[in-house]
Every structure is written in structure tokens, then in C-alpha cells.
Amino acid sequence: MSKIQFNTKLYTVNSWTILRLPESASAKLPSRGMIMVSGTLNGVSFKTLLEPDGKYGPGLKPSHWFRPDKKLLDDAHASAGDTVQVSLEPTKEWIEPEVPEDVKKALSSSPKAEDLWKDITPSARWDWIRWIRAVKTEKTRKKHIEVALDKLNKGMRRPCCFNRNLCSEPRVSKNWVLLAPTQV
């Protein structure tokens, strides 16, 4: 697959700086769901997980987004409101997700689940973390962690019935759809 190149504006959603791909660029990706990419932002290399924006279905134009970290933004001399040059391409080399402390603690309490966690692919670990975090309340999150441990203990390598086309980050989404960005 050839590189996908585009210019886009960085936006703010809540307090996060978001890079949302133009629909035309997103349409060139091989998946409507989460996908790992490597690329450049204003010439600075990065590798990241693109999240789906949650818009899917007849008549909708889905896209992807990610939250550039502070180091990438600083190195690229970019901030919310700036137009940036982006080049990216899908990669099969997945980066490890950051495992939240409550998930680490739960895994350490269950050797069988922890062993399977270490054996599954980084892509599968991303699925579990996205499934666990995609809730509105702490009570539901705890339930998801309990269910994840139970399923991992039973040998399930991925969460069941999880739509990978939805936006699973509750800090910047509502009803599984990325909130409308605001320009700075």
C-alpha cells in the first residue's frame, strides 16, 4: 500500500489535541476499525493506533483519529489550530498498549489470565483495553475487568461482540462517536 498524504488541522476535543484524518484519507485505509500506522507529522516520525471515529452506516463518512502526544507535537512544532502535513501507512507491527493500573492489578491476581495476556498479540491486548475503557461509569469498568479476567481464564483471546468501528475513548466520545472537534 502506498503512503497516504494529506494536510489537516489539529483540533481540540475537551482538553485533548486531536488529529482527525480527512474522510478521503481514511477511506484509503484497509479497515474502518482500529488500525496501526507509521508515518510523519510535519516530517517527524511516529507510530500510533488510529481509532475509528464511530461514524458508520449508510450515508455516513467514517474516519479515524489519534491523539498526538506532547513530544510529537513539540518536535513537529504543532499545536491545536495548526494545519499539519501528514504522511502515513498501515503497519502490521503493533505497538504495545499502555495497560491501565487497575487492569495490571487484576491480571496479577490471576496467573492463568496473565499468562494468556502475555501470549496474545498486541492487537488483541488493544481490543481488551478498548473494551474495558469503553464505559461510562467506574462500576461498569470494574465489571468489564471482572468479565475480562473470567474470559481470559477460559482461554478467550479477544472480547466477544465488540464493534471495532466505534470510538471507545469516553473522554472524547459520546454514544461511541467522536465528539465534534472545535478549532482553536
Side-chain angles (χ1 to χ4, degrees), residues 101-121:
E101 286 303 317
D102 55 351
V103 175
K104 283 182 191 175
K105 183 178 178 182
L107 287 168
S108 70
S109 74
S110 177
K112 189 173 180 181
E114 188 173 38
D115 286 346
L116 183 57
W117 181 266
K118 291 175 183 174
D119 188 55
I120 61 177
T121 65

Side-chain angles (χ1 to χ4, degrees), residues 91-177:
T91 180
K92 293 183 188 264
E93 297 172 21
W94 284 69
I95 58 175
E96 285 293 332
E98 185 176 325
V99 182
E101 286 303 317
D102 55 351
V103 175
K104 283 182 191 175
K105 183 178 178 182
L107 287 168
S108 70
S109 74
S110 177
K112 189 173 180 181
E114 188 173 38
D115 286 346
L116 183 57
W117 181 266
K118 291 175 183 174
D119 188 55
I120 61 177
T121 65
S123 172
R125 288 189 283 273
W126 275 101
D127 276 344
W128 281 112
I129 289 171
R130 290 180 76 234
W131 181 76
I132 289 167
R133 79 170 183 213
V135 297
K136 294 180 182 177
T137 68
E138 190 61 32
K139 181 179 177 183
T140 306
R141 181 182 174 93
K142 286 179 183 177
K143 180 69 174 166
H144 272 217
I145 292 172
E146 290 172 19
V147 170
L149 276 184
D150 182 60
K151 290 182 178 204
L152 286 163
N153 278 317
K154 291 177 180 170
M156 288 185 67
R157 301 178 78 79
R158 290 187 185 265
C160 171
C161 310
F162 179 63
N163 187 335
R164 297 176 95 209
N165 296 328
L166 299 175
C167 183
S168 68
E169 178 50 69
R171 286 170 269 188
V172 293
S173 67
K174 182 174 182 180
N175 297 326
W176 303 83
V177 176

Side-chain angles (χ1 to χ4, degrees), residues 65-81:
W65 67 276
F66 76 99
R67 180 185 187 194
D69 64 23
K70 182 178 179 346
K71 181 174 180 0
L72 176 57
L73 292 171
D74 288 348
D75 290 351
H77 304 288
S79 59

Side-chain angles (χ1 to χ4, degrees), residues 1 4 21 29-30 34-40 46-51 64-66 86-95:
M1 173 175 223
I4 301 167
L21 278 65
L29 294 168
M34 68 176 185
I35 187 166
M36 191 63 59
V37 296
S38 59
T40 60
F46 68 89
K47 190 179 217 179
T48 194
L49 175 83
L50 294 181
E51 288 266 0
H64 290 84
W65 67 276
F66 76 99
V86 180
S87 175
L88 55 82
E89 59 188 331
T91 180
K92 293 183 188 264
E93 297 172 21
W94 284 69
I95 58 175

